[in-house]
């Protein structure tokens, strides 16, 4: 039975994503086009592949049988097409990275422009989020994480600065009115601007000087979701609303121009940098291999 391979790709995308909207996001298509492709595939095959409701899209028994045989074959097709990259002057295709918001803001801007300039046929898609997710569940080829979030059976490659710091800061006007803390515990008497993870857990503020480490549960008038919403805490701090605690590089522009003043800098805590990780047991697609090689080149220049 002949069937347009593009229809099979649509069926596989929807099955992997568990829905039309998510499949559209992952493939750069749109939900209505994928829905039409699946409908046409079902018509040509003469069987229903998905049970659809207003909220869910589930494989039927026939759909599950098809996926069992089809997925390995489609992976082989993708591998065969990717192998053609060896005959191109520059590799092409899509590279999907799953990264924390901090990486997208603080590390990737120094890497991505040069990478895209060198490899103009590669389309880079960055999924930035504050929650740690399985990178392959999101359909991504590789992920960027801090070392405590590395998954098992992954190969890790250093990416970006190897040492970072958390920094506390406030507007000069706020500190003039409320006083400058001399010890981290004094922050409990100040208006703190802080973050909360999607799990509901409030991020601790941690400070270290010598052998002494102080961990605090901040209290204050503004709580933002960890991630891109933390920019609001920076803006509020610049406006004099309280003390912010964030990556030093994130606060650096405001610290450099004087709109924020360092608080307890001798207590700022160092931590190790980010890692790019991937599963080398899988076929490494040409766009990912190009990115790995580019990051290794930047690492060699930095050393």
């Amino acid at each position: 039975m002949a069937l347009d391979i593009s229809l099979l790709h649509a069926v596989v995308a929807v099955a992997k994503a568990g829905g039309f909207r998510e499949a559209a996001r992952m493939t750069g298509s749109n939900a209505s086009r994928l829905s039409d492709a699946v409908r046409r595939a079902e018509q040509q095959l003469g069987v229903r592949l998905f049970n659809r409701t207003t909220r869910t899209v589930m494989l039927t028994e026939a759909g599950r049988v098809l996926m069992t045989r089809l997925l390995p074959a489609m992976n082989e097709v993708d591998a065969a097409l990717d192998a053609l990259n060896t005959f191109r002057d520059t590799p092409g295709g899509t590279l999907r990275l799953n990264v924390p918001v901090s990486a997208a803001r603080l590390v990737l801007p120094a890497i991505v422009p040069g990478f895209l300039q060198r490899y103009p046929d590669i389309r880079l898609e960055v999924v930035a989020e504050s929650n740690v997710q399985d990178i392959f569940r999101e359909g991504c080829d590789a992920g960027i994480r801090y070392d405590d979030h590395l998954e098992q059976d992954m190969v890790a490659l250093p990416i970006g600065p190897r040492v970072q710091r958390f920094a506390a800061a406030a507007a000069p006007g706020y500190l003039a009115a409320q006083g400058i803390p001399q010890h981290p515990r004094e922050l409990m008497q100040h208006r703190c601007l802080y973050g909360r993870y999607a799990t509901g857990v409030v991020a601790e503020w941690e400070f270290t000087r010598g052998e002494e480490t102080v961990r605090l549960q901040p209290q204050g008038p503004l709580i933002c979701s960890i991630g891109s919403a933390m920019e609001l805490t920076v803006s509020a701090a610049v406006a004099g609303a309280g003390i912010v605690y964030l990556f030093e590089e994130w606060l650096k522009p405001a610290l450099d121009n004087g709109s924020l003043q360092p608080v307890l800098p001798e207590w700022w805590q160092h931590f190790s940098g980010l890692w790019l990780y991937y599963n080398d047991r899988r076929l490494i697609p040409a766009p990912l291999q190009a990115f790995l090689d580019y990051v290794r080149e930047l690492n060699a220049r930095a050393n």
Side-chain angles (χ1 to χ4, degrees):
M1 180 184 295
L3 189 67
D4 187 338
I5 194 170
S6 65
L7 301 184
L8 291 177
H9 273 293
V11 170
V12 169
V14 174
K16 284 183 174 180
F20 293 103
R21 286 188 179 179
E22 182 65 11
R25 186 184 70 80
M26 291 172 60
T27 61
S29 181
N30 65 65
S32 61
R33 185 177 299 136
L34 288 173
S35 178
D36 180 65
V38 168
R39 179 184 56 78
R40 287 190 287 130
E42 290 176 329
Q43 288 176 344
Q44 292 184 33
L45 293 171
V47 295
R48 179 178 289 277
L49 301 175
F50 295 94
N51 289 319
R52 306 166 180 80
T53 69
T54 55
R55 294 186 177 181
T56 61
V57 177
M58 300 283 292
L59 283 167
T60 63
E61 181 62 26
R64 287 193 291 272
V65 171
L66 178 63
M67 285 301 105
T68 300
R69 303 289 297 274
L70 185 58
L71 279 175
M74 295 300 284
N75 288 336
E76 284 299 314
V77 170
D78 290 340
L81 294 174
D82 187 71
L84 294 177
N85 269 307
T86 59
F87 297 94
R88 297 166 55 95
D89 292 333
T90 60
T94 298
L95 170 61
R96 284 174 55 87
L97 298 178
N98 184 296
V99 310
V101 172
S102 57
R105 181 180 179 88
L106 305 177
V107 173
L108 289 183
I111 298 172
V112 167
F115 174 74
L116 295 179
Q117 184 176 11
R118 178 176 297 185
Y119 300 104
D121 295 329
I122 290 179
R123 175 180 170 226
L124 177 62
E125 183 174 348
V126 177
V127 180
E129 57 188 1
S130 59
N131 297 328
V132 177
Q133 299 287 353
D134 174 6
I135 59 173
F136 302 118
R137 186 186 69 80
E138 291 291 326
C140 292
D141 302 295
I144 295 177
R145 294 287 184 268
Y146 292 97
D147 56 1
D148 58 340
H149 291 153
L150 292 181
E151 299 181 9
Q152 293 181 347
D153 301 324
M154 293 288 167
V155 178
L157 177 67
I159 184 169
R162 302 321 305 143
V163 178
Q164 298 183 30
R165 288 199 302 178
F166 282 115
Y174 173 88
L175 295 174
Q178 304 297 327
I180 300 175
Q182 301 301 311
H183 190 279
R185 291 191 185 87
E186 294 179 20
L187 292 171
M188 300 307 293
Q189 280 71 56
H190 282 265
R191 296 167 64 83
C192 298
L193 315 172
Y194 57 101
R196 176 187 289 150
Y197 294 104
T199 59
V201 175
V202 171
E204 283 188 330
W205 289 12
E206 187 169 328
F207 299 86
T208 298
R209 185 175 65 178
E211 298 298 319
E212 185 179 4
T213 295
V214 178
R215 296 179 181 88
L216 305 172
Q217 282 288 334
Q219 301 290 328
L222 178 64
I223 311 171
C224 289
S225 298
I226 298 289
S228 57
M230 292 302 290
E231 183 61 31
L232 179 57
T233 64
V234 180
S235 298
V238 169
I243 297 177
V244 64
Y245 178 77
L246 202 54
F247 296 98
E248 181 182 9
E249 286 299 310
W250 199 322
L251 299 179
K252 192 173 187 301
L255 291 169
D256 287 347
N257 66 27
S259 56
L260 288 180
Q261 180 176 321
V263 172
L264 299 167
E266 67 278 11
W267 287 86
W268 291 357
Q269 191 175 66
H270 295 75
F271 58 97
S272 61
L274 289 157
W275 297 82
L276 171 67
Y277 68 100
Y278 61 98
N279 190 339
D280 70 343
R281 295 183 181 178
R282 300 186 177 202
L283 170 74
I284 299 178
L288 174 57
Q289 187 61 61
F291 191 72
L292 295 173
D293 293 342
Y294 188 75
V295 171
R296 289 190 182 103
E297 179 183 321
L298 293 181
N299 289 345
R301 287 185 204 165
N303 293 334

